[in-house]
Amino acid sequence: MVGASHPVPVAPASPVVPAPRRPTGNGGSAWERTRRWYETALGWPTAPGEPVRLRTGVRFDVLGVPADAGYATLERLDRMERQDRMERRHGMDRRHGMDRPVCAGPAGRAGGGSPTPGFPVAVQGGRMLLLVAAGAAEELPGLLEWLEWGSLALGLTALGAGGTVDAPLAPPGPAGLPPRPPERDGLHGAAVWLRPPEPGCEVESSLPALSVPGHTGTALDLARLVHTLATQCHRSRLTASGPPRARPVARIG
């Protein structure tokens, strides 16, 4: 019939097929699993994007120093703590009528305890990152002035509220956490745990903080840590022209 309209056949729409997903292995990429480890196992807030970055000023602040000064600081603090333990133990023995020397524990530490300080520490790009109590970054300038280090350039930095720091890949563990790739050694720009935080533990209780009168906590006093860091940073600057001291590379896994 002239002028009559005829429907134009329409081809059926092709079903939309989603693009194939990349295999995720055991629970996603290494960074996804790392983010999940920090947020779930530790309760630490992270910033969006990759690589994963940890927000500072919420659960902790971060002090950064040249790695050689950081290693020297940890060694110095460990020696000081062992000496303190031996003196305390010796005093107890004297009070109980046992005037005898104290033997070190199986790991060469007084009483066989863990080394101090026991707070988390990482290394990245030739610098050491030491986790301290939230709010410590704000206290640092005044603390350095009080300790009479304020007039010197020490290379001691602090990250607090509003900052972020690269998150080291989570250390391997029984929960299927990713192992650290062999090329990540903390000296080539990637952050690596030297002393990782322990899931299930109250990490904040181990973080160095300003001592409070009447408080009997076991955390290292922040003033003691900062003074030792400043001393070692200053020594490192004075000996910078000499041959570098060999340091072990931090490896996890």
Side-chain angles (χ1 to χ4, degrees), residues 122-180:
V123 289
Q124 180 180 25
R127 289 183 66 80
M128 182 175 287
L129 309 176
L130 303 100
L131 272 61
V132 293
E138 185 177 354
E139 300 286 349
L140 182 63
L143 194 54
L144 288 172
E145 289 290 342
W146 181 67
L147 294 169
E148 300 184 349
W149 287 107
S151 61
L152 297 177
L154 300 170
L156 173 57
T157 61
L159 279 173
T164 60
V165 64
D166 285 356
L169 278 182
L177 297 171
R180 184 182 64 80

